[in-house]
Amino acid sequence: KRTNTTSMLAAKAVLAPRGTVRAAINMSNILLVTNRADPAQPGGVAPDMAAALADALGAKLQLVPYKNPGALADSAGAGEWDVGLIGAEPARAAIIGFSAPYAEIEATYLVRPGVPFHTAAQVDTEGVRVASSRRSAYTLWLEDNLRAAQLVQTEEPGAEGSWDLFQDRELEALAGLRSFLTGKAAELPGSRLLDDRFTSIQQAIGTPRGDAAACDAAVAFLDSFVADAKSSGLVANLLAKHGVEGKLSVAL
């Protein structure tokens, strides 16, 4: 392992200060949380990554579920969790220190029948309205990067809500994760799921920013843990175990 005893102790003081890693889980990510039979004990890639992290720290694990990524990020300063498995976006990095990504998910567009676009870049055109789920990682990206198209966000976070918005207002494009949009394309004959992507959501492990030196030590440990998890095949094995190969990929 790349980690040593000194760095692990420093990281454990931040990531498991009571001997238990409290891991925040975004329940709205259907690729990273594939088993919701017991909401208090979700299953999937993200919970398994949290369990592996707890093992690496020699700590117990407590999963802390959140309805959506916005609620998870909002609670970063509330002392409710020690690590959060969430998309690493610049807007969140002000309050959360992120590891390197362990997995990535493509975000792209579904366009309405009759809309002539074939690439994501073409969607960013004057007069085009894009439906998107409020506070998702890809919506945060669109807020910063759309130049001409109009971003129309849901009242509350949720991919299904963005689909309803897209349909009810007959908007030209719907932004979302490729796996979600693939299912919706089948419900709207004549629609087109674009082949390329406008961004890739980098799934990482974060810890709330507090003392700068302590946070830096914790993130260094998380970086090393993620590097080991990727190089050892753990991440790839988890994608296969939970049936999300081809929908998620191991981050480079």
Side-chain angles (χ1 to χ4, degrees), residues 175-192:
L177 302 182
R178 181 173 296 280
S179 57
F180 174 75
L181 297 180
T182 298
K184 292 306 181 184
E187 298 181 26
L188 186 59
S191 63
R192 181 186 304 109

Side-chain angles (χ1 to χ4, degrees), residues 5-65:
T5 302
T6 301
S7 64
M8 186 177 75
L9 290 174
K12 191 171 183 178
V14 176
L15 305 176
R18 303 165 189 83
T20 298
V21 177
R22 298 173 302 163
I25 303 294
N26 169 24
M27 296 293 287
S28 71
N29 192 315
I30 61 175
L31 297 179
L32 292 176
V33 183
T34 47
N35 185 347
R36 296 175 173 75
D38 180 356
Q41 289 295 323
V45 173
D48 281 0
M49 282 292 289
L53 174 63
D55 286 345
L57 287 165
K60 297 178 182 179
L61 174 66
Q62 177 190 347
L63 298 179
V64 186

Side-chain angles (χ1 to χ4, degrees), residues 137-157:
Y138 54 85
T139 299
L140 295 176
W141 188 93
L142 291 170
E143 286 178 346
D144 288 339
N145 290 276
L146 278 184
R147 296 291 177 262
Q150 177 189 357
L151 185 61
V152 183
Q153 300 187 39
T154 56
E155 290 288 335
E156 298 293 333

